[in-house]
Amino acid sequence: MNAKRADKIATGVLYGIAVIIITILASLLLYILGRGVPHISWDFLTQPSKSFQAGGGIGIQLFNSFYLLFITMLISIPISIGAGIYLAEYAKDNMLTNIIRTSIEVLSSLPSVVVGLFGFLVFVIQAGLGFSIISGALALTFFNLPLLTRNVEESLKAVHFTQREAGLALGLSRWETVIRVVIPEALPGILTGIILGAGRIFGEAAALIYTAGQSAPALDFTNWNPMSITSPLNIFRQAETLAVHIWKINSEGNMPDGAQVSAGASAVLIIAVLIFNFLARFIGKRLHKKITSA
């Protein structure tokens, strides 16, 4: 009876801790959304920001966030998939692979401000790219690569070895087995990790302050020349993202309605990250159901 009573007490304590954590997170989300959602409108989402006037929007910053996210994922996804395939399917268990995995763990635990300073020294100054979208994307690639690589590796390792044996028994080469059998089976987990990584990048600010810049030049959305400074496709222009914009508003305080703009931008950022997370779960479950017929 004493053991059962102790088990009930421990279970109750764990449930209590879980309820407290969920309550804190839910309260924080509801507070941010409650303050920000009333300020969200179509004009707020599409109009450019204003520095010393009221009534500005977040249109350019919102576009910059999605565009920089696209460039970052375009660079990091192929690299992380290749690295994950090598570590899961080809790398031998020796000192070299242990060093690689340890390095990945170290990189994944680095603070984003350290990655930003690294990007500032290497890409902005040494490479001469200046404050630009490509500098921010390369810095975020280093920030996101360890997470994506580990996700791809773990997703591939989760595929049962009998799937590989079946592919080899059908006469497929090892590479064909990986491409046609293993990766399709691991695709739900890989896509879930990619979408979660995208949500992590979308809300990043510290690394972009030192690489992508803190200004949002006016863009001409009818100009599709990627080398023009006013073109939205130019990857060599400065690009203040939504998260950096929120930090800038609260640090400089040069907007008459800064509190309202910050609240609305924060709500948009939270909603976007929540969409990324729910989308990852939805796509992962649908793909798993479709592939496994479960």
Side-chain angles (χ1 to χ4, degrees), residues 68 72 115 135-145 201 204 207-208:
L68 195 143
T72 303
V115 178
S135 295
L138 291 172
L140 287 180
T141 296
F142 280 89
F143 180 69
N144 200 40
L145 205 56
I201 290 176
E204 181 54 41
L208 296 176

Side-chain angles (χ1 to χ4, degrees), residues 36-150:
V37 169
H39 302 291
I40 299 176
S41 64
W42 179 251
D43 288 337
F44 181 75
L45 294 175
T46 56
Q47 294 300 315
S49 60
K50 298 179 180 179
S51 294
F52 301 97
Q53 304 177 46
I58 58 170
I60 295 178
Q61 287 80 6
L62 190 60
F63 173 81
N64 287 339
S65 296
F66 281 108
Y67 187 49
L68 195 143
L69 171 64
F70 172 75
I71 299 297
T72 303
M73 301 308 285
L74 195 64
I75 299 172
S76 58
I77 288 177
I79 299 174
S80 61
I81 290 179
I85 291 174
Y86 169 75
L87 291 173
E89 302 294 331
Y90 294 95
K92 297 179 181 179
D93 190 10
N94 52 32
M95 183 179 294
L96 177 61
T97 55
N98 289 334
I99 292 175
I100 293 174
R101 290 190 174 93
T102 302
S103 301
I104 291 174
E105 293 294 335
V106 172
L107 283 174
S108 64
S109 62
L110 284 178
S112 58
V113 66
V114 175
V115 178
L117 290 173
F118 168 79
F120 174 74
L121 291 173
V122 175
F123 305 121
V124 176
I125 296 179
Q126 295 297 328
L129 296 174
F131 293 106
S132 59
I133 289 178
I134 188 63
S135 295
L138 291 172
L140 287 180
T141 296
F142 280 89
F143 180 69
N144 200 40
L145 205 56
L147 176 66
L148 290 182
T149 301
R150 177 51 61 91

Side-chain angles (χ1 to χ4, degrees), residues 68-288:
L68 195 143
L69 171 64
F70 172 75
I71 299 297
T72 303
M73 301 308 285
L74 195 64
I75 299 172
S76 58
I77 288 177
I79 299 174
S80 61
I81 290 179
I85 291 174
Y86 169 75
L87 291 173
E89 302 294 331
Y90 294 95
K92 297 179 181 179
D93 190 10
N94 52 32
M95 183 179 294
L96 177 61
T97 55
N98 289 334
I99 292 175
I100 293 174
R101 290 190 174 93
T102 302
S103 301
I104 291 174
E105 293 294 335
V106 172
L107 283 174
S108 64
S109 62
L110 284 178
S112 58
V113 66
V114 175
V115 178
L117 290 173
F118 168 79
F120 174 74
L121 291 173
V122 175
F123 305 121
V124 176
I125 296 179
Q126 295 297 328
L129 296 174
F131 293 106
S132 59
I133 289 178
I134 188 63
S135 295
L138 291 172
L140 287 180
T141 296
F142 280 89
F143 180 69
N144 200 40
L145 205 56
L147 176 66
L148 290 182
T149 301
R150 177 51 61 91
N151 170 72
V152 173
E153 181 185 2
E154 295 299 327
S155 298
L156 294 176
K157 285 184 175 180
V159 178
H160 201 269
F161 71 92
T162 55
Q163 299 281 356
R164 296 170 175 85
E165 292 180 346
L168 295 174
L170 291 173
L172 298 177
S173 65
R174 189 173 183 182
W175 173 248
E176 290 174 328
T177 301
V178 172
I179 296 298
R180 299 183 181 183
V181 179
V182 179
I183 289 182
E185 180 71 18
L187 193 59
I190 293 175
L191 280 180
T192 299
I194 288 174
I195 298 174
L196 291 176
R200 184 188 184 198
I201 290 176
F202 191 83
E204 181 54 41
L208 296 176
I209 292 173
Y210 301 102
T211 53
Q214 303 175 35
S215 64
L219 299 179
D220 181 7
F221 286 92
T222 62
N223 181 8
W224 298 106
N225 179 12
M227 300 307 296
S228 174
I229 191 63
T230 61
S231 173
L233 301 180
N234 190 341
I235 61 175
F236 299 103
R237 61 177 176 83
Q238 290 197 44
E240 180 188 47
T241 61
L242 191 59
V244 175
H245 187 58
I246 295 170
W247 170 82
K248 189 176 178 181
I249 292 172
N250 289 281
S251 61
E252 294 183 353
N254 57 10
M255 288 185 180
D257 58 344
Q260 291 81 7
V261 174
S262 176
S266 300
V268 172
L269 187 63
I270 290 293
I271 292 171
V273 174
L274 288 175
I275 290 174
F276 279 121
N277 282 269
F278 287 123
L279 192 64
R281 295 179 180 274
F282 175 76
I283 292 178
K285 288 182 179 179
R286 288 294 297 270
L287 279 176
H288 183 266

